[in-house]
């Protein structure tokens, strides 16, 4: 049973790191502009994050095994359908299938982790969840390298079918070994809350992605953002009403009164800006912009993710002597230092100079990564495990999805600014470069790794000049991400040190955090 859930966890990082490595190949095979290509990753992350809480509630209500197996079946079917696509214009259907795959992944993760919480208890539960976290780390470490190899050997379809193979193995094991369990006190799904939460995330993501292309003051960006704010306000109102009427909302807002619970949620979102966005941005930079071979790019990504194989387990061992709060603080600060270091690496930097900051980032993020799942489970009773994993995973995955959208938009804005600054140095390109639309469009193309079309919009500008502008924009972005990581580290430390909600009966503190 544990192996089945670990395999399902392994499939999750493969599902979003693989397409990032294959993005240039997907563009050539299926077509699509910058907005459509951004949805290759965001469609999966959005549907995954937006439905995790609902999937957790459904697992408690209808059975964790049933939801787990159904989710794996959806992941498998959607991956097979993606591999069958071909021809220009098919990117839209591909993205829809990616969204469907995210729904299946949410069901598999919520059902599987909730089932584990019923079978294992105490120290055994911590070891089981550490195994799940390690499996996720294996996917992060080897996923880009494997995807790069598969891309060179079997093309983008090989990358997609790899996820299908792992999901099939997890499904077969789950059918044979996982017992059924459910929460006898669970009530029907809070449909209004689930729909409003999903709508809020979808509209927010849509607005953020539209901003760089249509303009932040345009209706295409402002209307979705306003709709997201209204949907979020309505969601909070609905959850408060459900709490008063049934006592079992999809999201128990009362838990946010407790500092340690807030700290755990901040910790869940921390890796999004410090680490996860790099899993998407760096392959696009290495392959699409710098022109690296997929396998070479995969090797660099392997250096970044390699610490995820052992540092999370090391973090659990260190909690015997060091508080979880201090370990999280130290890890995030180390990660921020790595981001600053990486920001100074211009395009074309040699492997030997690029590897150390990547390794430092992986080492730093591995410490809090190894503690997050255990801390999250410790704040609720086991019978509410579906909700616990749903809330924590939703914050983590929704944070990653929003981080990808925001960071992509930020990189596009920085690129447009740096490209515009090149105009006085290239008088023969003045007509093209003076156009804000041209520079904005070129920046969007560069963010998705399409340097050839970007250069066509910037006549008179040399490739080295454009690469230098890209490097400057990327460096500024990493500096900002490092600052966000430092602030998050301090906030997480403060909230985790504030004490545990012992009066709620939600469980035992982990490692005197």
């Amino acid at each position: 049973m544990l192996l089945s859930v670990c395999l399902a966890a392994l499939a999750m990082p493969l599902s979003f790191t693989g397409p990032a490595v294959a993005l240039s190949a997907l563009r050539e095979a299926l077509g699509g502009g910058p907005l459509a290509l951004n949805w290759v990753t965001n469609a999966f992350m959005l549907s995954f994050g937006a439905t995790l809480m609902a999937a957790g509630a459904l697992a408690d209500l209808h059975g964790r095994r049933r939801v787990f197996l159904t989710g794996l079946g959806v992941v498998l079917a959607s991956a097979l359908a993606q591999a069958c696509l071909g021809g220009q214009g098919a990117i839209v259907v591909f993205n829809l299938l990616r969204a469907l795959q995210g729904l299946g992944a949410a069901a598999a993760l919520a059902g599987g982790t909730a089932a584990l919480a019923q079978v294992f208890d105490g120290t055994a539960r911590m070891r089981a969840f550490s195994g799940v976290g390690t499996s996720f780390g294996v996917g992060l470490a080897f996923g880009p390298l494997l995807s790069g190899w598969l891309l060179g050997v079997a093309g983008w379809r090989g990358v997609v079918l790899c996820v299908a193979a792992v999901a099939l193995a997890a499904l077969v094991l789950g059918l044979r070994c996982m017992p059924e369990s459910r929460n006898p006190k669970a009530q029907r799904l809070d449909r209004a809350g689930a729909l409003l939460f999903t709508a809020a995330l979808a509209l927010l993501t849509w607005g953020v992605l539209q901003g760089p292309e249509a303009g932040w003051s345009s209706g295409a960006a402002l209307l979705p953002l306003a709709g997201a704010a209204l949907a979020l306000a309505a969601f909070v109102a609905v959850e408060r009403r459900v709490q008063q009427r049934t006592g079992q909302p999809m999201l128990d807002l009362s838990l946010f009164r407790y500092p340690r619970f807030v700290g755990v949620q901040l910790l869940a979102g921390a890796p999004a800006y410090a680490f996860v966005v790099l899993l998407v941005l760096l392959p696009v930079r290495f392959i699409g912009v710098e022109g690296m071979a997929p396998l070479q790019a995969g090797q660099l990504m392997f250096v970044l993710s390699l610490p995820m194989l052992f540092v999370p387990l090391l973090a659990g061992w260190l909690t015997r002597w060091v508080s979880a709060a201090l370990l999280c603080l130290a890890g995030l600060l180390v990660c921020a230092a790595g981001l600053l270091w990486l920001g100074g690496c211009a395009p074309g930097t040699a492997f030997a100079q690029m590897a150390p900051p990547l390794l430092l980032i992986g080492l730093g993020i591995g410490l809090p990564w190894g503690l997050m799942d255990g801390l999250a489970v410790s704040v609720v009773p086991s019978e509410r495990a579906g909700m616990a994993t749903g809330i924590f995973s939703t914050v983590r995955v929704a944070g990653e999805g929003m981080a990808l959208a925001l960071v992509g938009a930020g990189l596009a804005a920085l690129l447009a600014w740096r490209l515009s600054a090149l105009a006085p140095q290239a008088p023969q390109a003045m007509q093209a470069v003076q156009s804000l639309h041209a520079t904005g469009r070129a920046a969007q193309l560069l963010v998705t790794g399409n340097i050839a079309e970007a250069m066509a919009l910037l006549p008179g500008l040399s490739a080295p000049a454009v690469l230098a502008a890209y490097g400057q924009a990327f460096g500024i972005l990493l500096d900002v991400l490092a600052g966000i990581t430092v602030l998050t580290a301090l906030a997480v430390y403060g909230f985790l040190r504030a004490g545990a909600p012992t009066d709620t009966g939600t469980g035992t503190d982990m490692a005197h955090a």
Side-chain angles (χ1 to χ4, degrees):
M1 171 185 170
L2 177 59
L3 180 57
S4 176
V5 179
C6 286
L7 283 173
L10 177 65
M12 306 306 165
L14 295 178
S15 296
F16 65 84
T17 59
V21 172
L23 193 63
S24 295
L26 286 169
R27 183 186 67 244
E28 294 175 3
L30 305 180
L35 184 60
L37 291 170
N38 277 325
W39 277 106
V40 168
T41 300
N42 281 290
F44 177 87
M45 299 297 287
L46 173 62
S47 62
F48 188 19
T51 56
L52 270 170
M53 283 196 294
L58 288 172
D60 286 340
L61 179 62
H62 296 294
R64 286 113 185 181
R65 180 180 186 271
R66 178 186 296 179
V67 170
F68 174 71
L69 296 177
T70 301
L72 285 174
V74 171
V75 171
L76 174 60
S78 60
L80 292 174
Q82 290 167 35
C84 293
L85 294 176
Q88 294 294 306
I91 191 68
V92 175
V93 178
F94 185 86
N95 288 340
L96 291 174
L97 289 171
R98 291 279 293 160
L100 181 63
Q101 192 172 29
L103 294 177
L109 181 64
T113 52
L116 287 182
Q118 310 309 308
V119 175
F120 298 96
D121 197 9
T123 304
R125 182 190 293 177
M126 290 299 303
R127 286 198 296 266
F129 275 88
S130 293
V132 174
T134 301
S135 300
F136 201 95
V138 170
L140 290 176
F142 290 97
L145 185 62
L146 176 62
S147 298
W149 177 76
L150 287 172
L151 185 61
V153 172
W156 65 269
R157 288 185 175 87
V159 176
V160 170
L161 290 175
C162 177
V163 176
V166 176
L168 178 60
L171 180 61
V172 172
L173 284 173
L175 281 168
R176 295 184 59 184
C177 305
M178 180 175 286
E180 185 60 281
S181 64
R182 56 175 52 87
N183 180 9
K185 298 181 181 179
Q187 300 185 18
R188 65 185 181 88
L189 175 65
D190 175 15
R191 295 179 182 176
L195 289 173
L196 286 169
F197 185 78
T198 303
L201 276 182
L203 289 170
L204 183 59
T205 303
W206 181 260
V208 170
L209 291 178
Q210 285 284 358
E213 187 159 309
W216 291 102
S217 59
S218 67
L222 292 178
L223 287 177
L225 294 176
L230 291 175
L232 181 60
F235 170 74
V236 172
V238 166
E239 293 307 286
R240 285 177 175 171
R241 186 170 68 250
V242 173
Q243 175 69 44
Q244 294 171 355
R245 292 170 58 185
T246 68
Q248 286 192 335
M250 187 176 70
L251 174 61
D252 188 354
L253 296 172
S254 65
L255 290 175
F256 286 91
R257 295 180 302 180
Y258 302 103
R260 190 162 178 263
F261 182 82
V262 176
V264 169
Q265 308 317 310
L266 287 174
L267 184 61
Y273 293 90
F275 177 74
V276 175
V277 295
L278 299 181
L279 299 176
V280 175
L281 292 182
L282 287 178
V284 174
R285 168 179 166 171
F286 294 153
I287 299 172
V289 177
E290 297 190 36
M292 286 186 188
L295 185 58
Q296 183 184 5
Q299 291 171 343
L300 277 171
M301 298 305 296
F302 178 70
V303 173
L304 172 66
S305 301
L306 176 63
M308 299 300 290
L309 294 177
F310 59 89
V311 176
L313 294 176
L314 176 64
W317 179 70
L318 288 174
T319 54
R320 299 178 183 181
W321 303 280
V322 184
S323 73
L326 187 58
L327 285 172
C328 292
L329 173 67
L332 291 175
L333 290 179
V334 168
C335 187
L339 288 169
L340 288 173
W341 190 356
L342 182 63
C345 297
T349 300
F351 186 99
Q353 284 74 47
M354 184 75 76
L358 291 173
L359 185 63
L360 191 63
I361 293 170
L363 288 170
I365 205 63
L367 287 176
W369 197 288
L371 305 176
M372 292 191 298
D373 292 279
L375 285 168
V377 173
S378 71
V379 298
V380 297
S382 61
E383 63 268 17
R384 296 296 288 157
M387 174 179 156
T389 56
I391 294 175
F392 171 76
S393 300
T394 293
V395 171
R396 178 159 63 181
V397 180
E400 290 167 0
M402 288 312 306
L404 286 171
L406 289 169
V407 169
L411 180 57
L414 289 169
L415 273 169
W417 168 56
R418 294 309 305 157
L419 291 173
S420 297
L422 292 176
Q425 304 171 25
Q428 67 273 34
M430 287 296 288
Q431 289 185 347
V433 178
Q434 280 180 344
S435 168
L436 293 178
H437 176 75
T439 54
R441 178 70 177 173
Q444 283 288 298
L445 291 167
L446 285 170
V447 168
T448 59
N450 192 347
I451 190 169
E453 289 190 25
M455 292 297 299
L457 292 173
L458 304 169
L461 293 183
S462 65
V466 173
L467 281 175
Y470 182 92
Q472 292 165 2
F474 208 94
I476 295 171
L477 177 69
L478 292 185
D479 291 345
V480 173
L481 296 182
I484 294 173
T485 303
V486 170
L487 293 176
T488 304
L490 297 174
V492 166
Y493 180 76
F495 280 114
L496 290 183
R497 293 292 296 173
T502 55
D503 56 326
T504 64
T506 55
T508 305
D509 271 4
M510 172 188 170
H512 54 278

